[in-house]
């Protein structure tokens, strides 16, 4: 019984964190396609849907991308309903139909996993760009050019301990910049070897 209560508290905490971190992003995403009023309703429904099904989800699932996928499909359903209503009433001009078709097609082509990957890459690039020049150069040589600490030390005329210091400094800056994405970043770094 106590374990169930702890699990429920953990579930509530994770849901609150998801809500705090992503609710406004989901609303902005949906509003791009369906307008602000409908977007707020759709996102509220999607967050409720996620809450109701969160017990049955795998813990390693990319939750923000999962919820964004739900938002995407609900937006598509909303747009399809609008299109059907407009076809039934036959009140749309050809240009309005064309615009609605473009919104539907672009939303269908949207890949939530890719959106999060692009955002993560942007944050990594920004964090690396903010590093001091020497720290950035040493980090790039170590992680992206596969140079050894000795090779880097020789190139910069410093000790291998200094190289380790700069790499540690760079990784600390990346951890801070990517605190919300750290599990995704670690997996991506392991997969790409960077």
């Amino acid at each position: 019984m106590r374990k169930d209560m702890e699990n429920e508290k953990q579930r509530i905490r994770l849901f609150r964190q998801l809500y705090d971190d992503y609710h406004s992003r989901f609303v902005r995403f949906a509003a791009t396609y369906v307008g602000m009023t409908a977007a707020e309703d759709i996102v509220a429904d999607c967050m409720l849907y996620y809450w109701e099904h969160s017990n049955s989800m795998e813990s390693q699932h990319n939750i923000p991308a999962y919820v964004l996928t739900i938002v995407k499909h609900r937006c598509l359903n909303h747009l399809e309903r609008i299109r059907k209503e407009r076809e039934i009433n036959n009140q749309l001009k050809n240009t309005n139909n064309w615009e609605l078709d473009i919104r539907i097609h672009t939303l269908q082509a949207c890949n939530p996993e890719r959106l999060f990957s692009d955002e993560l890459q942007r944050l990594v690039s920004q964090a690396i760009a903010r590093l001091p020049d020497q720290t950035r150069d040493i980090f790039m040589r170590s992680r992206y050019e596969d140079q050894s600490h000795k090779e880097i030390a020789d190139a910069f005329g410093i000790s291998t301990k200094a190289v380790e210091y700069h790499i540690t400094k760079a990784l600390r800056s990346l951890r801070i910049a990517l605190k919300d994405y750290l599990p995704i970043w670690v997996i991506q770094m392991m997969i790409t070897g960077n």
Side-chain angles (χ1 to χ4, degrees):
M1 181 70 152
R2 185 170 178 86
K3 187 174 182 177
D4 288 343
M5 287 181 65
E6 289 300 318
N7 287 343
E8 189 64 16
K9 284 181 183 177
Q10 174 72 3
R11 185 173 163 238
I12 290 169
R13 187 185 65 74
L14 291 173
F15 181 79
R16 282 186 182 150
Q17 184 177 354
L18 174 73
Y19 186 91
D20 290 343
D21 292 348
Y22 292 99
H23 179 266
S24 61
R25 294 181 194 184
F26 294 153
V27 170
R28 283 193 308 269
F29 173 82
T32 303
Y33 298 98
V34 299
M36 187 56 75
T37 303
E40 290 171 346
D41 291 342
I42 287 170
V43 171
D45 287 345
C46 293
M47 296 296 280
L48 180 61
Y49 177 86
Y50 166 70
W51 172 256
E52 291 170 348
H53 295 87
S54 62
N55 275 337
S56 61
M57 293 191 65
E58 296 176 16
S59 61
Q60 295 176 354
H61 197 75
N62 184 341
I63 302 303
Y66 173 78
V67 175
L68 188 58
T69 299
I70 297 169
V71 171
K72 169 188 167 179
H73 289 291
R74 296 279 173 97
C75 288
L76 281 169
N77 291 343
H78 178 80
L79 292 172
E80 290 289 348
R81 259 193 318 278
I82 290 173
R83 180 165 57 184
K84 287 178 184 172
E85 289 172 6
R86 288 179 179 176
E87 286 173 357
I88 289 170
N89 295 329
N90 205 14
Q91 295 175 356
L92 270 180
K93 296 179 181 177
N94 288 337
T95 56
N96 290 341
N97 281 329
W98 179 78
E99 178 194 355
L100 187 57
D101 286 341
I102 286 178
R103 285 193 282 166
I104 289 170
H105 292 298
T106 58
L107 188 54
Q108 285 172 333
C110 169
N111 182 343
E113 293 284 342
R114 180 69 183 166
L115 288 176
F116 280 97
S117 176
D118 290 346
E119 181 177 353
L120 180 61
Q121 187 58 49
R122 181 182 56 78
L123 290 173
V124 168
S125 296
Q126 288 174 348
I128 290 173
R130 285 192 298 266
L131 293 171
D133 291 342
Q134 188 175 20
T135 302
R136 181 179 52 250
D137 291 344
I138 289 171
F139 181 77
M140 296 295 285
R141 286 174 182 240
S142 171
R143 292 302 191 261
Y144 293 98
E145 297 173 20
D146 292 324
Q147 289 185 1
S148 71
H149 290 192
K150 174 94 172 91
E151 290 172 325
I152 297 169
D154 291 343
F156 283 89
I158 58 176
S159 70
T160 56
K161 287 287 187 201
V163 170
E164 290 171 12
Y165 165 79
H166 285 286
I167 291 172
T168 301
K169 182 177 176 180
L171 290 172
R172 188 177 316 117
S173 294
L174 284 169
R175 272 194 296 276
I176 291 167
L178 302 172
K179 66 183 183 308
D180 294 334
Y181 295 89
L182 194 55
I184 298 169
W185 181 65
V186 169
I187 291 168
Q188 189 175 33
M189 292 294 275
M190 287 173 23
I191 291 171
T192 62
N194 293 331

